[in-house]
Amino acid sequence: MNLGYQGDALVDEDASPEAPPTAPERRRITVWEALAAAAVVVGVVVRFTANSHLWLDEALSVNIARLPLSRLPEALRHDGAPPLYYVVLHGWMEVFGTGTIAVRALSGVFAVAALPFMWIAGRRLGGRRLAAVALVTLAASPFAVRYATEARMYSLMTLLALLGWLALGDLLERFSWARAAAVSVLTGLLLLTHYWSFYLLAVAAVIVILRARRGTGHVEARRALVAMAVGGLAFLPWVPSFLYQLHHTGTPWAGSPDVRILFDTVFQFTGGFWDPGFIFGILAWLLIVVAVFGRPLDSARIELDLRTRPESRTLAIVAFGTLAVAYVAGVIGQSGFAVRYAAVLFPFVVLLVALGVTRFTSPWVFRGVVAACLVLGFIAITPNVFGDRTTAAKVARVLRAQARPGDVVAYCPDQLGPSVSRMLGDRGLVQVPFPAGGSPDRVDWVDYAQRNHAARTAPFAQMLLDRAGPDHTIWLVWSPNYLTFGTKCTALGDRLQAARPDMTRVMTIKTEYFEHPGLIRYRPA
């Protein structure tokens, strides 16, 4: 992993210029190798370090995955996701339990497993120098660390996409049944992990089709297409559920994507639009441009070729072609966009950034750019390690301390129920999510927008008052302005205050948190 080099070969810069000894000697580890190794070690550690409790999506994942396997398909029909991650998480929790650290560790394992395969991908693309840069860049990536510490399927998506890239490259180079089987299996696993895999596989299929029609390797390319098609058969049993989800779930919590996602996604990969993330994002975009168009002339000059460089062309098409297809599909289907879905194309952006770094042939410039990526990346990681994603734990702490058995806890919107109720346990509280009632540990996304638009706050408020009776307190866990709810949660609070004027805002809403419920107490008259 030596980051010093001459030409394309890594060298030990501290080595003596004398003739090599007759007996083999152990090569000394350079300072740059030691720093790179330390960065990877730190990157591994922070993939299992997060201060926050589970937020909505994570709590939903755990609550669904803990169901018996026979009930998973029906639960996922109402959630909107394919089944693979939930099946794996179910087995993981059978062994390690449902604690916050335990359920997140599965994603950490997937994220750590991606590191050696990123090294392999970089080495195939540009030798050991590129492999080392790709490895440390992924190790210090704020995006990779964020989703390594989230009980969701996104680090699994990254791992499978990277493995699929390597397997497809092997198969296009030389056919074997083992390689074809690997492509088929990984295709099926990707499709059963997240629906954005369709976009990646569509772009990959177009690339393989073009290769099958012209140029060398057309026989291997045709066989690769067959292998991908065979892998797609694994999705067939899930098609009825997918079609149901397509018509009834979708992403009612977000609007259709803006064309800016084609540009902003890289900034989200580097930590977002705050100081270190924004600076890192500008650097990443510059490196991507250099990777795609740049050719080093000497240590001081890089030539830009608008025809693009062949070693980066396919990577750029896969990464930004997938993002473009997702954007078009989102606009046509009016489906929401979340940057976490782009985990399926994330490893290719990392490779492009690393390739851009290796365009610099001056050792000091090269090391300086690598150091900047590492420093900015690790700074952008700190909020994930030390910060909270949700105030649900603080809300639950107050309820555990002050609520009495028989008190009513209302959640508005229902999306606040899973994270808070997970930490309340069985305390004899009556927990009711708005608008549908039912259990607070799940959210039914089927026809969600229509149900919320039709919901009325007056009968729901009266139901809460009836359940609380004259002796019990009503607690409202709430947050305004959730999409499809409008002002209904505010109106619900006003109705409860009209009936019970003894109202206290126990916890105010703090928008610096990703999920930020507040808490209001309505005492009996």
Side-chain angles (χ1 to χ4, degrees):
M1 204 188 303
N2 191 347
L3 297 185
Y5 64 94
Q6 290 179 352
D8 289 332
L10 296 175
V11 298
D12 183 352
E13 294 178 321
D14 298 325
S16 170
E18 299 174 0
T22 55
E25 293 183 3
R26 180 177 297 178
R27 186 177 61 84
R28 289 183 297 169
I29 297 176
T30 68
V31 172
W32 292 101
E33 285 181 323
L35 290 175
V40 173
V41 170
V42 173
V44 170
V45 171
V46 295
R47 279 161 168 74
F48 297 93
T49 307
N51 183 57
S52 177
H53 291 275
L54 304 188
W55 70 286
L56 165 66
D57 281 10
E58 295 179 278
L60 282 176
S61 294
V62 172
N63 293 338
I64 292 173
R66 70 194 306 173
L67 295 171
L69 289 177
S70 60
R71 293 176 57 190
L72 276 183
E74 181 59 27
L76 290 173
R77 278 167 63 90
H78 292 259
D79 179 74
L84 178 63
Y85 172 75
Y86 298 87
V87 173
V88 176
L89 181 59
H90 176 92
W92 178 270
M93 292 190 301
E94 287 287 323
V95 177
F96 298 103
T98 59
T100 298
I101 295 175
V103 297
R104 282 180 170 159
L106 176 61
S107 296
V109 169
F110 292 140
V112 170
L115 292 171
F117 292 107
M118 180 59 75
W119 165 276
I120 295 171
R123 184 159 186 171
R124 289 186 183 180
L125 186 64
R128 292 186 63 197
R129 179 157 54 100
L130 177 56
V133 178
L135 176 62
V136 297
T137 302
L138 181 61
S141 164
F143 182 86
V145 171
R146 167 60 193 267
Y147 293 104
T149 58
E150 185 154 302
R152 294 289 284 169
M153 69 286 293
Y154 306 114
S155 63
L156 175 59
M157 291 168 65
T158 295
L159 174 62
L160 291 176
L162 190 54
L163 290 173
W165 170 264
L166 293 171
L168 184 58
D170 285 341
L171 185 57
L172 290 173
E173 180 182 332
R174 180 175 58 82
F175 176 82
S176 75
W177 288 108
R179 293 179 176 189
V183 169
S184 296
V185 169
L186 289 165
T187 298
L189 293 178
L190 273 166
L191 291 172
L192 292 171
T193 299
H194 199 278
Y195 296 135
W196 265 48
S197 300
F198 281 105
Y199 309 141
L200 173 66
L201 292 170
V203 173
V206 169
I207 294 172
V208 177
I209 288 171
L210 291 176
R211 179 164 175 168
R213 294 183 61 183
R214 62 186 182 209
T216 59
H218 59 277
V219 174
E220 290 81 0
R222 291 170 185 169
R223 290 172 173 174
L225 283 173
V226 173
M228 293 173 67
V230 171
L233 297 177
F235 191 76
L236 288 180
W238 189 252
V239 167
S241 295
F242 169 66
L243 294 177
Y244 181 85
Q245 293 167 339
L246 191 64
H247 287 92
H248 294 284
T249 57
T251 52
W253 39 263
S256 57
D258 188 282
V259 71
R260 281 186 53 182
I261 70 167
L262 301 176
F263 181 78
D264 290 351
T265 297
V266 171
F267 283 94
Q268 297 296 340
F269 285 164
T270 58
F273 289 91
W274 67 300
D275 289 347
F278 183 68
I279 296 171
F280 193 9
I282 293 174
L283 177 59
W285 263 117
L286 289 174
L287 292 171
I288 290 170
V289 171
V290 170
V292 174
F293 299 103
R295 183 172 68 91
L297 299 179
D298 53 41
S299 62
R301 294 180 299 166
I302 294 177
E303 178 185 66
L304 296 182
D305 183 351
L306 295 181
R307 294 170 297 181
T308 72
R309 304 298 301 160
E311 65 272 21
S312 59
R313 190 176 301 138
T314 302
L315 276 177
I317 292 171
V318 170
F320 295 101
T322 299
L323 196 57
V325 172
Y327 165 72
V328 172
V331 170
I332 294 174
Q334 294 295 297
S335 59
F337 168 80
V339 71
R340 53 189 180 268
Y341 299 167
V344 77
L345 60 93
F346 168 68
F348 311 112
V349 174
V350 172
L351 285 169
L352 282 171
V353 170
L355 191 57
V357 174
T358 61
R359 298 292 195 222
F360 297 99
T361 58
S362 165
W364 290 108
V365 175
F366 172 79
R367 293 169 186 158
V369 175
V370 172
C373 291
L374 291 178
V375 170
L376 292 170
F378 280 125
I379 293 174
I381 284 169
T382 54
N384 183 76
V385 176
F386 300 106
D388 262 325
R389 299 168 195 173
T390 176
T391 55
K394 298 177 181 179
V395 170
R397 193 178 303 124
V398 172
L399 291 171
R400 289 198 304 267
Q402 300 183 24
R404 298 184 297 116
D407 284 359
V408 174
V409 179
Y411 299 97
C412 189
D414 53 358
Q415 296 176 45
L416 300 176
S419 55
V420 175
S421 64
R422 169 181 166 82
M423 288 172 279
L424 282 182
D426 184 10
R427 295 179 175 271
L429 302 175
V430 180
Q431 301 183 60
V432 190
F434 177 83
S439 174
D441 65 344
R442 304 260 287 280
V443 176
D444 186 356
W445 299 107
V446 171
D447 301 326
Y448 191 69
Q450 297 91 315
R451 285 191 287 113
N452 293 339
H453 288 315
R456 297 171 55 212
T457 58
F460 189 84
Q462 187 59 52
M463 180 266 292
L464 297 177
L465 293 166
D466 292 342
R467 289 199 179 187
D471 301 321
H472 289 287
T473 299
I474 297 175
W475 303 82
L476 178 62
V477 181
W478 81 294
S479 188
N481 303 323
Y482 269 61
L483 199 64
T484 74
F485 283 89
T487 60
K488 290 184 178 180
C489 292
T490 303
L492 176 60
D494 293 341
R495 291 185 183 278
L496 291 173
Q497 185 177 1
R500 291 191 170 190
D502 187 0
M503 179 271 284
T504 304
R505 296 186 183 275
V506 181
M507 278 191 57
T508 58
I509 292 170
K510 299 179 179 178
T511 55
E512 64 266 26
Y513 293 90
F514 185 70
E515 181 183 68
H516 43 264
L519 180 63
I520 305 176
R521 177 178 60 212
Y522 302 91
R523 295 187 186 274

